Amino acid sequence: MEEPLSLDQAFIRKLTDIILSNLKNEQFGVEELSREMGMSHTTIHRKLRSYTHLSISQFIREVRLQKAHEMLEQNLGNVSEISYRVGFGSPTYFNKCFHEYYGYPPGDVRKKYQPDNADQAENHQVSITASDPLQSEVEKVLPGRKKSGQKMLIMMTSVILVVITLALVRVLLISPNGLSKDRSMIVMPFKNLSDDPGNQYFADGIMEDILNNLNHISGLRVVSRTTSEHFRGTNLTSGEIAREANARYVLESSIRRQEDKVRISVQLIDAKHDRHVWSEIFDREVTDIFDIQSGIALNVAHKLNAVLSETEMMQIKSMPTLNPVAYDYYLRGRFLLNKSNDEQRADISQEGLTGSLKYFEKAIAADTNFAEAYACLASAWFNLAGWGWIPKNEGFPRARELSLKALEIDPGSARAHCIRGACLMWSERKFEEARKELMTTVQLNPDYPPVYQNLAQLLMVTGPIEEARKYVDRGLELEPYFWVMYNLSAYIYYFEGKYSEAITACHDASDLHSGFIFNEWLLFLSYAKLGDADKAALELCSIVGSHPQTSRLKEEIAAVADSSGVAGLFSWLIEVNINRPVPLTGMSGHPFFIAWWQAINGNKEEAIYWLERNMEAKLKLSVFFDLITTNPDFAILHNDPRFLAIIEKRGLARYITRVPE
């Protein structure tokens, strides 16, 4: 009797079956797979990342490649025929992908897998079929693990089955950063049971500090605060939350505060076996809150048999301030700071950041040696300037000054080092010094998500872009519900020339935060690069439709796409920018965007002319300007002395890669 598939295997099996049933359809991609699965791009992406470490596009491509390998082994056609039958529109591209995946060209398959005689040929079984579920799941979860050589396959069948089974178990029980899920957990937002709903800041603050304490334990993998926040108020069970968050344990708690008394009820749940591991009620004075926080972290470590080093023990027991008034102000400020980052509405985000300033300042007034209050205050000033809500020449210098003050008090503050690095990068343009600060942050706290966002952005400026990919992937691993990381991932894919993957990442970002104009532009650009004028036009119509003064342009866009294709769309954008600009990013007549659209259309002279206009006019530079050294759309300019003079003025000359003439 066949063993039932686990939920993980069933999910992989269903994905595989859908892809195989649409194998010949070259246009079958992320959108089509999501529609047939009845799931959002984000959900599928998150599950795939958890089980296989692959994006949706990578998964689809690898299913196609493995099926192609099977067909080549069975001699079901030549390489070109099979490339089309598995959904590759170009045999050349198929050869490239196949060689990258298997390490040898498709033409070598028959040589490597030619049976020694007819009997062996009869018994020769191959990889992926929709009717072989276990093999199908394993091939997806463990891509590229095929055994080479028919004799070995026949002689070692039983051994391989054992290895595959153990490997599958290992993949399903190991978290993305290599730690066993037996010691992975999510700390849920604390329920505020106080009579005063205004005490939510206190509940959230205690929860975050407990989470931070647990993060100091090297034997644990703790899901990020922003991911936990995603499940606030959910009706999901502990088991469902754990599965969604790729964790085994769930820490739940409630908190009741009345005047100077506080009661915290906490329970640790083994979600895999649906049982309580530990529960306790702490009735204390508010002044004892640090003892409660460290006590909870130490109890969790003990129950999960995590071994603590002396340093980890000291970090958990350390107190950020001895002043309870300062700590309360700090929690209020951090509550607003976090709220500003979590909210999608700009007005709420700006209000939260501005409101947090006064509380951090009050915390510092109560305790002038409160390093984390300085660091959080620096973060608030930086974010206000970074999002353009206050002048950059006001916010960035203030953030720099405060981060340095925090580091003067506590050189081990990861947050302060991260903000210092961000200031060096965006305000002072000292990219190498910024890199050192950010790497120091990683050493101090390798699980601090903001540092990976900053490192990815730094490497998007300086390159190499492959390193930017490494850091953005780590950021997504830590914060799978943060739309900014998906947007950065999309742009990195675009710079890598992986336009289908860029589209997938854009959709993931949109699922979490819709309406971000730069995400919409990237969808347009990616479809344009794929030569799909119709979809590019639809995205451009979506962009102009977001503003009442530009929605009238939709008919023009459709007509241009129909008559002139992708090149015509960029020519149209250039004409609009120069002759009839509209109040919309990318179409407002800004010289940088005119230069970008000109470069994409191959108009070298015009592109340089508009870049020079941008520098001469001393206009507010686009956020994309510093990316011209890594953006492949400007590669046609890399050898031009005028272009080199422009980037020299911006301190980017050392990061340019010359293109061979």
Side-chain angles (χ1 to χ4, degrees):
M1 182 176 177
E2 185 178 333
E3 296 242 353
L5 297 177
S6 70
L7 291 176
D8 301 336
Q9 291 171 306
F11 172 75
I12 298 296
R13 163 102 177 252
K14 187 176 180 182
L15 285 180
T16 304
D17 287 350
I18 290 173
I19 296 167
L20 289 172
S21 65
N22 292 276
L23 199 62
K24 294 181 181 179
N25 181 4
E26 179 189 349
Q27 302 303 318
F28 186 83
V30 177
E31 294 177 23
E32 292 75 17
L33 181 60
S34 299
R35 186 166 52 249
E36 291 206 26
M37 284 289 289
M39 301 170 71
S40 71
H41 310 90
T42 306
T43 301
I44 297 177
H45 175 81
R46 187 174 62 254
K47 286 176 175 287
L48 268 180
R49 280 287 186 192
S50 170
Y51 306 150
T52 69
H53 299 182
L54 299 173
S55 70
I56 304 176
S57 297
Q58 288 170 327
F59 183 82
I60 293 173
R61 184 167 62 247
E62 293 193 4
V63 171
R64 294 183 188 278
L65 289 171
Q66 291 174 23
K67 186 63 179 178
H69 197 291
E70 171 188 328
M71 296 169 73
L72 288 166
E73 288 183 55
Q74 292 181 315
N75 199 19
L76 297 179
N78 61 38
V79 172
S80 293
E81 291 170 342
I82 288 174
S83 71
Y84 290 115
R85 289 169 64 183
V86 297
F88 282 85
S90 162
T92 302
Y93 182 60
F94 169 72
N95 288 343
K96 175 179 179 293
C97 293
F98 192 98
H99 194 284
E100 286 179 355
Y101 184 59
Y102 283 104
Y104 49 86
D108 286 358
V109 172
R110 293 189 186 92
K111 301 175 187 176
K112 296 175 75 68
Y113 292 91
Q114 187 67 39
D116 290 345
N117 53 55
D119 290 336
Q120 285 183 355
E122 241 176 70
N123 293 325
H124 187 55
Q125 301 299 316
V126 290
S127 61
I128 295 180
T129 63
S131 61
D132 186 4
L134 180 58
Q135 182 73 5
S136 179
E137 271 71 74
V138 171
E139 290 290 347
K140 301 306 148 323
V141 179
L142 300 172
R145 296 294 204 274
K146 284 192 170 187
K147 300 297 180 182
S148 60
Q150 178 66 13
K151 290 182 179 179
M152 179 182 291
L153 184 63
I154 296 171
M155 294 170 60
M156 301 288 290
T157 299
S158 60
V159 177
I160 293 171
L161 286 174
V162 172
V163 170
I164 288 175
T165 303
L166 291 175
L168 181 58
V169 170
R170 180 179 182 276
V171 168
L172 296 178
L173 293 182
I174 297 296
S175 68
N177 65 356
L179 292 174
S180 170
K181 282 179 66 177
D182 284 344
R183 288 183 181 171
S184 59
M185 67 185 307
I186 178 170
V187 181
M188 293 297 293
F190 283 21
K191 295 176 182 176
N192 175 31
L193 301 183
S194 306
D195 294 334
D196 180 6
N199 273 325
Q200 189 62 53
Y201 81 90
F202 188 75
D204 287 2
I206 302 307
M207 170 265 187
E208 183 172 351
D209 281 343
I210 289 172
L211 186 151
N212 290 337
N213 278 338
L214 290 168
N215 255 330
H216 289 308
I217 302 172
S218 57
L220 297 181
R221 182 180 70 84
V222 185
V223 173
S224 71
R225 185 199 64 81
T226 52
T227 300
S228 299
E229 186 65 30
H230 181 80
F231 296 102
R232 183 187 291 274
T234 182
N235 292 321
L236 297 176
T237 66
S238 297
E240 290 169 334
I241 291 171
R243 180 175 293 279
E244 286 286 309
N246 190 32
R248 173 164 178 174
Y249 295 97
V250 178
L251 186 69
E252 296 179 345
S253 189
S254 63
I255 186 165
R256 185 186 298 276
R257 181 182 182 185
Q258 186 138 9
E259 296 179 351
D260 295 332
K261 304 288 185 181
V262 62
R263 165 176 283 199
I264 298 180
S265 302
V266 62
Q267 58 179 345
L268 180 64
I269 300 167
D270 179 350
K272 181 179 180 181
H273 297 109
D274 192 23
R275 65 182 179 88
H276 283 73
V277 176
W278 165 68
S279 63
E280 193 164 336
I281 297 175
F282 297 85
D283 282 309
R284 302 283 180 84
E285 300 285 332
V286 171
T287 52
D288 294 331
I289 196 65
F290 296 124
D291 288 337
I292 300 175
Q293 291 170 357
S294 60
I296 291 173
L298 293 172
N299 268 291
V300 169
H302 173 69
K303 295 299 179 182
L304 300 185
N305 298 316
V307 179
L308 298 177
S309 68
E310 244 181 78
T311 301
E312 290 169 345
M313 188 74 75
M314 288 175 60
Q315 288 173 326
I316 290 173
K317 290 186 174 182
S318 67
M319 293 185 287
T321 177
L322 297 176
N323 188 317
V325 174
Y327 184 64
D328 191 74
Y329 282 135
Y330 167 74
L331 291 184
R332 291 175 187 269
R334 197 174 63 184
F335 174 76
L336 292 173
L337 179 64
N338 289 339
K339 187 177 178 63
S340 72
N341 291 330
D342 295 337
E343 290 288 350
Q344 296 185 3
R345 284 175 49 195
D347 57 337
I348 294 178
S349 297
Q350 183 177 1
E351 180 185 346
L353 284 171
T354 304
S356 72
L357 298 178
K358 66 179 181 181
Y359 286 115
F360 291 133
E361 287 167 354
K362 287 182 176 181
I364 291 168
D367 180 359
T368 55
N369 289 315
F370 196 167
E372 281 306 296
Y374 283 106
C376 283
L377 184 56
S379 182
W381 278 105
F382 182 86
N383 288 348
L384 280 167
W387 286 106
W389 292 319
I390 62 172
K392 288 180 170 52
N393 60 6
E394 176 186 346
F396 286 158
R398 186 78 176 117
R400 175 184 180 277
E401 173 191 346
L402 290 162
S403 64
L404 288 173
K405 180 62 177 177
L407 292 172
E408 179 185 317
I409 299 168
D410 178 13
S413 171
R415 187 192 294 265
H417 278 289
C418 189
I419 292 297
R420 171 70 178 129
C423 288
L424 284 165
M425 173 172 45
W426 295 117
S427 177
E428 301 175 52
R429 307 186 58 73
K430 297 177 180 177
F431 300 116
E432 295 312 309
E433 288 184 41
R435 193 191 310 266
K436 290 178 183 176
E437 284 289 336
L438 295 174
M439 292 311 298
T440 298
T441 308
V442 172
Q443 292 168 3
L444 289 169
N445 186 353
D447 293 326
Y448 185 56
V451 72
Y452 296 104
Q453 176 185 338
N454 281 289
L455 278 167
Q457 290 172 318
L458 173 67
L459 287 156
M460 287 172 70
V461 174
T462 69
I465 206 66
E466 296 79 13
E467 281 192 42
R469 163 60 50 204
K470 178 178 71 173
Y471 289 120
V472 83
D473 283 349
R474 175 62 175 146
L476 283 168
E477 181 184 311
L478 291 170
E479 290 197 303
Y481 291 96
F482 188 32
W483 67 273
V484 171
M485 294 304 294
Y486 284 104
N487 185 251
L488 289 177
S489 179
Y491 271 96
I492 293 169
Y493 276 132
Y494 182 83
F495 288 0
E496 292 175 307
K498 299 176 180 178
Y499 306 117
S500 296
E501 289 88 341
I503 290 168
T504 301
C506 281
H507 285 309
D508 289 333
S510 295
D511 285 345
L512 295 168
H513 177 60
S514 60
F516 185 53
I517 186 68
F518 294 129
N519 199 57
E520 294 182 357
W521 273 115
L522 186 57
L523 274 171
F524 161 73
L525 286 167
S526 298
Y527 281 123
K529 289 292 184 176
L530 289 172
D532 194 331
D534 291 337
K535 287 186 178 179
L538 284 174
E539 293 302 331
L540 192 51
C541 285
S542 175
I543 291 170
V544 301
S546 65
H547 197 286
Q549 294 185 35
T550 58
S551 58
R552 58 184 168 77
L553 299 172
K554 290 181 181 179
E555 290 185 8
E556 285 187 39
I557 293 169
V560 169
D562 188 52
S563 63
S564 306
V566 168
L569 289 174
F570 285 103
S571 296
W572 179 84
L573 280 171
I574 293 166
E575 187 274 326
V576 168
N577 270 281
I578 295 175
N579 299 321
R580 45 194 179 116
V582 292
L584 194 66
T585 299
M587 300 174 66
S588 63
H590 195 294
F592 174 77
F593 285 98
I594 301 176
W596 193 352
W597 309 149
Q598 295 278 18
I600 288 175
N601 259 7
N603 302 325
K604 180 178 175 181
E605 290 298 319
E606 289 83 354
I608 289 178
Y609 169 79
W610 286 104
L611 286 177
E612 289 178 336
R613 281 280 304 274
N614 194 170
M615 298 296 287
E616 290 168 5
K618 296 184 179 178
L619 299 173
K620 179 182 176 183
L621 290 173
S622 164
V623 294
F624 290 99
F625 187 89
D626 284 336
L627 306 182
I628 58 177
T629 58
T630 53
N631 185 342
D633 294 338
F634 289 98
I636 62 170
L637 310 179
H638 283 192
N639 292 334
D640 192 293
R642 295 166 295 175
F643 178 75
L644 296 175
I646 290 170
I647 63 171
E648 178 69 40
K649 292 178 183 177
R650 296 291 293 170
L652 298 170
R654 65 183 293 185
Y655 303 115
I656 195 73
T657 301
R658 299 292 188 94
V659 178
E661 299 261 1

